[in-house]
Amino acid sequence: MMGGYLTRATWLHRLPAGLKLLMVAGMNLALLPVQDWQLLALFLAVVVGLYAALGRDAARGLGLFKPVVPLLVIIGGLQGFSSRWEDGANVVLRLLLMVLVADLVTMTTTMSALMDAVEPLFRLLRPLGVSSRKIALSVALVLRFIPVLMANWRAREEAWRARSRLRVPLRMVVLFLIETLRLADHVAEALDARGYGRAGRQP
Amino acid sequence: MDTRAIARISLLAAMIAVLGLLPTFYLPVTGGVPITAQTLGVMLAGIVLGPRHGALAVLLLIFVVALGAPLLAGGRGGLGVFFAPSADSCWGGCRALSLPAPSCSASRTRRCFLPRSWPRLPVES
């Protein structure tokens, strides 16, 4: 859930990304009808064992779940209170299982591998006007421009702090938005100037 | 969709992400869902880009998060987010665009393409 990628190669890294995604989807579908908390607890133990088998840095990822615990307790408590306590345990265990297994994929798969794995899906959507090339460009733009916009905001914040002792007001977001839109138009022009939008020859 | 639209959608998505990461507007965790300016960013995207492109910006951000980038409020990300109890807040962001967008966008005639029955994840058993 905190999106920590393990840079160290493990055996899970070697599995193809598509297979891992399919396994997560299949497991979640298979888990939904299970109403036996003992079985779910067994699965949970297996998944936690997997984390432990991956190494200490993977097991540390489990510690990042602390902020979710109160919410899980509330959900489980409500479910247990409104029906039987077994139902509450089922819900909490199932949630934990789904999150942990999905995080296992995130931990052991690079973004580009995942992107390649889902690309055939976008090809299926082509009749609807979805172009995988455009999606790849958008994803790259988002990742590239987050640090740029971050630096932009920090500069604004510093300028405000240098001039005022009040806290940074929310109104600054509007200026930030305008700057972002201007930047977007510059980027579009730059892309067009390099022949991106031209029909026929497209990089 | 021309290059300008793609660039605007991508940069607005990046802006939503940045607004979620800023420590300036960070209220400590309230039951697993931190409150940041990210929601504000979602609304701004809807107002500025209109219902269709605004929703695309949020979908794009959700997609990048699913690919593993820790961009949601408080630096969360990865596939696990979509199964956590707070998952509804990110789908809610997408649905929320149907609120401000039709009233504020220049293209008043265009309805938001998201249906009322936007799929919910089966978090509540």
Side-chain angles (χ1 to χ4, degrees):
Chain A
M1 196 157 132
M2 311 297 279
Y5 174 71
L6 283 186
T7 41
R8 189 169 48 83
T10 60
W11 56 273
L12 258 177
H13 284 73
R14 283 192 285 278
L15 287 181
L19 182 70
K20 279 186 267 192
L21 282 180
L22 278 180
M23 271 163 62
V24 170
M27 206 207 70
N28 286 341
L29 283 180
L31 274 182
L32 274 181
V34 177
Q35 290 295 341
D36 182 9
W37 70 270
Q38 281 150 334
L39 197 60
L40 287 172
L42 184 71
F43 278 130
L44 190 62
V46 171
V47 173
V48 171
L50 268 179
Y51 271 82
L54 278 179
R56 189 166 293 171
D57 38 356
R60 203 174 298 136
L62 291 175
L64 299 172
F65 272 89
K66 267 180 218 146
V68 197
V69 169
L71 203 55
L72 283 178
V73 169
I74 292 172
I75 291 176
L78 273 179
Q79 287 278 345
F81 183 71
S82 57
S83 51
R84 294 168 305 141
W85 68 268
E86 286 99 333
D87 288 341
N90 276 341
V91 171
V92 170
L93 285 174
R94 202 177 295 137
L95 275 174
L96 269 176
L97 255 176
M98 285 177 164
V99 174
L100 285 178
V101 170
D103 271 349
L104 217 47
V105 176
T106 306
M107 267 178 156
T108 60
T109 320
T110 56
M111 286 182 78
S112 53
L114 268 181
M115 186 79 204
D116 289 343
V118 293
E119 213 208 324
L121 289 180
F122 291 130
R123 231 173 280 149
L124 283 181
L125 292 177
R126 190 172 288 167
L128 295 174
V130 178
S131 145
S132 57
R133 210 173 49 87
K134 283 179 182 168
I135 292 174
L137 174 74
S138 315
V139 171
L141 277 180
V142 171
L143 292 176
R144 178 64 192 89
F145 275 94
I146 283 172
V148 174
L149 294 179
M150 205 76 164
N152 187 313
W153 176 269
R154 292 234 183 284
R156 275 162 201 286
E157 217 174 48
E158 266 172 31
W160 175 273
R161 292 244 160 86
R163 286 162 180 79
S164 165
R165 286 168 63 196
L166 302 173
R167 44 177 304 216
V168 181
L170 208 53
R171 270 177 299 178
M172 295 253 292
V173 172
V174 178
L175 304 175
F176 184 48
L177 174 76
I178 293 169
E179 180 64 31
T180 305
L181 285 175
R182 192 179 298 153
L183 189 62
D185 287 352
H186 280 313
V187 169
E189 269 168 26
L191 280 169
D192 279 339
R194 285 156 183 78
Y196 179 81
R198 217 185 313 160
R201 199 189 126 266
Q202 284 175 334
Chain B
M1 194 184 298
D2 63 337
T3 326
R4 188 163 297 244
I6 295 177
R8 284 193 164 186
I9 289 171
S10 310
L11 261 76
L12 259 286
M15 194 196 77
I16 297 174
V18 168
L19 286 180
L21 298 175
L22 294 174
T24 319
F25 308 116
Y26 189 88
L27 283 183
V29 179
T30 43
V33 188
I35 296 176
T36 57
Q38 195 151 52
T39 25
L40 175 74
V42 171
M43 292 293 171
L44 281 177
I47 293 167
V48 171
L49 293 179
R52 214 170 135 253
H53 289 177
L56 281 180
V58 179
L59 277 180
L60 175 64
L61 183 67
I62 290 178
F63 180 61
V64 176
V65 167
L67 287 179
L71 298 180
L72 287 186
R76 298 176 307 145
L79 276 177
V81 170
F82 300 98
F83 300 109
S86 51
D88 236 23
S89 66
C90 69
W91 297 114
C94 215
R95 274 187 292 178
L97 286 173
S98 58
L99 288 177
S103 53
C104 300
S105 77
S107 56
R108 267 160 205 277
T109 48
R110 211 186 286 155
R111 292 289 299 272
C112 183
F113 75 95
L114 289 178
R116 269 288 138 87
S117 55
W118 185 252
R120 274 165 176 260
L121 288 166
V123 282
E124 55 274 330
S125 147

